[in-house]
Amino acid sequence: MDVIFLMTLESLKKDMYNSGYDQNKAVSAMNAIATAAVLSLPFSFSRSSKLDANKGFKGRFRVFAVYGEEVDDKKNSWSALFDVEDPRSKVPQYKGKFLDVHQALEVARYDIQYCDWRARQDLLTIMLLHEKVVEVLNPLARDYKSIGTMKKELAELQEELAQAHRQVHISEARVSTALDKLAYMEELVNDKLLQERSTTEVSQISSSPSTSFKSVDIEKRRPPRRSLDVSGPVQSYHPHLKNFWYPVAFSTDLKDDTMIPIECFEEPLVIFRGKDGKPGCVQNTCAHRACPLHLGSVNDGRIQCPYHGWEYTTDGKCEKMPSTRLLNVKIKSLQCFEKEGMIWIWPGNDPPTATLPSLLPPSGFEVHAEIVMELPIEHGLLLDNLLDLAHAPFTHTSTFAKGWSVPSLVKFLTPASGLQGYWDPYPIDMEFRPPCMVLSTIGISKPGKLEGQSTSQCATHLHQLHVCLPSSKHKTRLLYRMSLDFAPVLKHIPFMQHLWRHFAEQVLNEDLRLVLGQQERMNKGANVWNFPVSYDKLGVRYRLWRDALERGAKQLP
């Protein structure tokens, strides 16, 4: 409600007293005005235009406390801008249905209508809040409210305004994204129309025997639908896939007197630290009687076989053979280095590259959890799953995606040939980094809600690293590192690592039951990449990269 002054209070006092108006009546009028102000009621003053020197004002002062909305020229001008019907009741109900391009275009248009309506409501909120600020600061209110009360009201309004401005920026981003979606859908519709027109022309041409050769020519020019063939039993890993540096363990898990047994490309290995504290990696099989070395112990920088006590250094040389003459025996060892909190090995036959990649989180993040899991699925299927976010509102309904709505369109936007990009409409950046790493940065908001349309618009973030080490045909060693750019105090809470692990296992278990089903059907001949769609872009590019690598292509996509 608006407070309208046709005459200011000070000038009203002056007129009344100078004209000899009854002081008691003047005080009564002042009290009425003050009461209306305290109750935040709209009011107005009126008086006659003629003045009698003896009787004072001709007529009387009247104070009206008006309930309800006050008619105002400014508000009349606003009404056309903000009086827009909420379009949500008119949105077509396609939930759970497959949409053709025309239906998807219709949904995209309704998205824009809703974003426009939402933006108008956000702007109206700001304007109404500014009115409240003016009301708090008006001179009449100052006479009847304490400074403390006014400060409190202004602080509350300032916070509401800040929140409203943030919401306006989010609405602007959503409108921009919705327009991009509409343009994308219109492009699809146009392509569909062109395709249907071409099909019609082909059928008309082919109906004429004399021009049938043109039909064949048009059919040849039409680009085939891209598909991938990932089917049948899992084959042995190609040697080209081994010629990379692979992270296999976190440094914090490898103490001076401990060892970590792993499997990499179906080869049993064991990692331990030598006398100099540097890590080494050797085959997990004793040269004497093929006993697993990890069942033994680490003594003075050498790993000791539990069967007959033979001891090996980090380069695989046997330096101790109790109860017999020392022979020149050496087991296989791999190049092994430590960098940025991770242990790396080179399992390939080609000479290793001179530098190790960096997997540190971005600046401003602190590592909160490092978790290792052994999963009973082939590493390529796990990578396919991690590079796909469109499944989240259907699969992860009990964990991180609980409450997520199902968007009308999900896209992964990338450079023309890149292995990284960002998800729309989710505020998540993602990258596949060869040979087996997935890095992602997620904008954090309230549970079940999305904050902004990109990670840059979010106040807080979670950074994830997934390393999918190919252990065997049906097993993957997963290294997971989680970092946050907020809440550093969480690192100092006891047992927090166990809580993070529990949550990670919950999320993975939601995926595993599905991916295990895929693996079972794939081994029986089903193609797990039979019909890729637009949001499969990053997974498809990973598969194209891997196919090119195994073919020995000189230029990898």
Side-chain angles (χ1 to χ4, degrees):
M1 293 183 290
D2 287 348
V3 178
I4 303 175
F5 293 106
L6 302 182
M7 182 185 294
T8 66
L9 183 59
E10 293 301 323
S11 64
L12 179 61
K13 287 180 184 177
K14 184 177 180 181
D15 284 347
M16 286 193 294
Y17 290 120
N18 289 343
S19 63
Y21 191 71
D22 189 331
Q23 187 170 348
N24 291 330
K25 290 181 179 180
V27 172
S28 297
M30 294 293 94
N31 290 337
I33 295 169
T35 302
V38 171
L39 294 175
S40 298
L41 298 176
F43 55 88
S44 63
F45 310 116
S46 67
R47 63 168 180 167
S48 169
S49 60
K50 295 182 179 180
L51 180 64
D52 188 307
N54 296 323
K55 294 183 180 179
F57 285 103
K58 185 176 182 180
R60 298 181 179 178
F61 283 92
R62 299 186 300 277
V63 179
F64 300 98
V66 183
Y67 294 86
E69 292 292 331
E70 190 73 33
V71 177
D72 183 73
D73 291 339
K74 284 195 301 180
K75 281 199 171 180
N76 286 335
S77 64
W78 296 352
S79 59
L81 179 62
F82 298 114
D83 188 15
V84 178
E85 184 181 359
D86 185 346
R88 284 177 289 188
S89 60
K90 297 182 179 180
V91 175
Q93 301 300 312
Y94 293 132
K95 187 174 182 180
K97 300 178 181 178
F98 290 101
L99 308 185
D100 60 31
V101 287
H102 299 283
Q103 292 170 327
L105 180 60
E106 183 181 12
V107 171
R109 284 174 176 157
Y110 273 106
D111 280 348
I112 288 182
Q113 290 180 23
Y114 170 74
C115 289
D116 173 72
W117 174 82
R118 181 69 262 173
R120 290 169 190 262
Q121 302 310 305
D122 295 336
L123 184 58
L124 178 60
T125 299
I126 289 179
M127 298 181 75
L128 293 176
L129 285 171
H130 277 292
E131 281 192 2
K132 288 184 179 180
V133 172
V134 172
E135 185 177 339
V136 170
L137 293 176
N138 85 67
L140 183 61
R142 296 179 195 171
D143 292 341
Y144 299 98
K145 289 184 182 180
S146 68
I147 296 298
T149 300
M150 292 182 66
K151 282 185 176 180
K152 182 180 179 182
E153 290 180 358
L154 286 173
E156 292 173 352
L157 288 171
Q158 186 177 9
E159 177 59 32
E160 290 183 45
L161 274 170
Q163 178 60 36
H165 278 284
R166 285 194 293 269
Q167 188 60 45
V168 165
H169 290 312
I170 291 173
S171 294
E172 287 175 350
R174 285 177 175 161
V175 169
S176 176
T177 302
L179 289 171
D180 289 343
K181 285 183 183 177
L182 182 60
Y184 177 73
M185 294 306 302
E186 287 176 340
E187 183 180 348
L188 289 180
V189 169
N190 291 335
D191 289 346
K192 180 72 174 177
L193 292 174
L194 287 173
Q195 184 179 2
E196 289 174 352
R197 187 184 306 167
S198 298
T199 304
T200 304
E201 291 173 355
V202 168
S203 61
Q204 291 174 348
I205 294 172
S206 61
S207 62
S208 172
S210 61
T211 57
S212 59
F213 69 92
K214 294 182 181 179
S215 171
V216 175
D217 185 55
I218 291 174
E219 288 292 339
K220 285 182 179 179
R221 291 201 304 266
R222 183 176 299 165
R225 180 175 64 84
R226 175 177 288 184
S227 63
L228 298 168
D229 184 12
V230 183
S231 60
V234 179
Q235 304 298 314
S236 296
Y237 289 107
H238 198 281
H240 290 165
L241 196 58
K242 298 180 181 181
N243 292 317
F244 290 90
W245 285 107
Y246 283 86
V248 294
F250 292 111
S251 297
T252 52
D253 294 335
L254 189 62
K255 312 300 181 186
D256 288 341
D257 57 348
T258 61
M259 53 194 137
I260 300 176
I262 65 169
E263 198 173 3
C264 184
F265 292 106
E266 303 184 87
E267 184 175 9
L269 304 169
V270 62
I271 302 165
F272 64 101
R273 294 189 183 276
K275 289 182 180 181
D276 56 2
K278 295 180 180 179
C281 179
V282 299
Q283 70 178 44
N284 192 10
T285 306
C286 181
H288 180 210
R289 302 278 293 275
C291 180
L293 293 175
H294 78 274
L295 299 178
S297 59
V298 176
N299 301 319
D300 196 22
R302 295 193 296 262
I303 188 168
Q304 184 185 69
C305 176
Y307 208 174
H308 296 91
W310 290 22
E311 295 184 7
Y312 301 89
T313 60
T314 53
D315 63 357
K317 182 174 177 59
C318 183
E319 290 190 343
K320 191 173 182 180
M321 295 180 183
S323 308
T324 188
R325 180 171 59 90
L326 182 63
L327 302 175
N328 186 19
V329 174
K330 190 174 183 179
I331 58 176
K332 181 180 178 180
S333 64
L334 302 182
Q335 292 279 352
C336 182
F337 288 96
E338 186 171 19
K339 180 184 178 182
E340 298 173 349
M342 304 190 83
I343 311 296
W344 299 71
I345 66 170
W346 181 277
N349 294 322
D350 288 358
T353 57
T355 58
L356 294 170
S358 176
L359 296 180
L360 282 178
S363 176
F365 284 78
E366 288 191 36
V367 175
H368 281 250
E370 293 181 335
I371 299 167
V372 180
M373 298 182 187
E374 302 289 344
L375 305 178
I377 52 178
E378 191 267 335
H379 99 292
L381 289 177
L382 182 59
L383 283 169
D384 290 341
N385 174 265
L386 292 172
L387 295 171
D388 168 29
L389 195 65
H391 74 279
F394 302 97
T395 305
H396 299 290
T397 53
S398 299
T399 53
F400 72 88
K402 185 176 183 179
W404 281 20
S405 59
V406 179
S408 57
L409 181 68
V410 176
K411 293 189 292 182
F412 186 77
L413 306 175
T414 69
S417 60
L419 294 172
Q420 72 284 330
Y422 63 95
W423 288 93
D424 176 17
Y426 304 119
I428 299 177
D429 299 341
M430 186 173 285
E431 174 188 359
F432 167 69
R433 189 171 297 178
C436 65
M437 284 82 81
V438 178
L439 297 92
S440 57
T441 301
I442 304 169
I444 301 291
S445 182
K446 296 178 181 178
K449 294 185 179 180
L450 300 178
E451 180 183 340
Q453 292 297 304
S454 69
T455 54
S456 61
Q457 294 172 319
C458 299
T460 54
H461 305 83
L462 178 148
H463 183 268
Q464 297 184 115
L465 164 68
H466 292 85
V467 177
C468 303
L469 181 68
S471 298
S472 67
K473 294 178 182 179
H474 301 102
K475 192 166 68 173
T476 300
R477 178 178 174 85
L478 174 66
L479 276 64
Y480 173 73
R481 175 186 276 170
M482 187 203 74
S483 307
L484 303 174
D485 65 355
F486 64 99
V489 68
L490 293 178
K491 293 184 65 174
H492 308 291
I493 297 178
F495 309 112
M496 199 65 197
Q497 182 81 3
H498 299 286
L499 185 61
W500 291 130
R501 184 179 184 88
H502 172 71
F503 183 73
E505 287 176 345
Q506 277 189 309
V507 175
L508 275 171
N509 285 334
E510 288 178 321
D511 284 319
L512 277 179
R513 64 189 186 92
L514 308 179
V515 182
L516 283 170
Q518 279 185 297
Q519 183 169 264
E520 179 185 351
R521 281 155 178 74
M522 181 182 73
N523 288 332
K524 294 179 179 178
N527 184 5
V528 297
W529 276 105
N530 188 52
F531 212 108
V533 293
S534 59
Y535 54 66
D536 294 322
K537 184 184 296 183
L538 191 55
V540 168
R541 289 188 177 179
Y542 155 66
R543 287 293 179 175
L544 294 176
W545 171 87
R546 185 168 167 181
D547 288 348
L549 175 74
E550 294 177 354
R551 290 196 315 268
K554 293 182 179 180
Q555 183 67 35
L556 296 179

